[in-house]
Amino acid sequence: VFSDRGLIGNAAWIDKGYKLHRRWDSTTDEISYELYDLEADATEAHDLADAMPDRVATMQQQLEVWQRSIVRSLKGEDYGSRVE
């Protein structure tokens, strides 16, 4: 069974040359975010999350919307009729 709370695990979202990396610690159930400028930092050595909180918030929202749409798809909820 898939739930909206089931947005666990690591994930990444790329937007306009930036990569948001969502890290989930399974032992503590805590989520943290890292942000990288892929054009200036291809090796992802410099986390910009603290310096760019607005971009992190925007990209976090985009990632969560996408993840929730995946859950809806897995449940068959974003189709006109469910096929059994």
Side-chain angles (χ1 to χ4, degrees), residues 13 18-23 31-38 41 44-60:
W13 187 258
Y18 287 92
K19 177 181 178 182
L20 181 73
H21 190 171
R22 177 187 188 269
R23 294 192 181 270
I31 296 170
S32 61
Y33 293 90
E34 299 170 0
L35 180 69
Y36 300 99
D37 179 343
L38 296 177
D41 180 20
E44 300 177 18
H46 305 287
D47 180 5
L48 302 173
D50 289 340
M52 302 181 78
D54 291 342
R55 177 165 285 283
V56 170
T58 297
M59 292 179 72
Q60 178 183 347

Side-chain angles (χ1 to χ4, degrees), residues 4-12 20-34 49 56 60 63-64 67-68:
D4 289 340
R5 172 62 186 102
L7 303 179
I8 59 174
N10 296 331
L20 181 73
H21 190 171
R22 177 187 188 269
R23 294 192 181 270
W24 175 65
D25 185 329
S26 62
T27 59
T28 63
D29 199 31
E30 292 183 18
I31 296 170
S32 61
Y33 293 90
E34 299 170 0
V56 170
Q60 178 183 347
L63 174 60
E64 288 176 3
Q67 287 179 304
R68 290 190 196 309

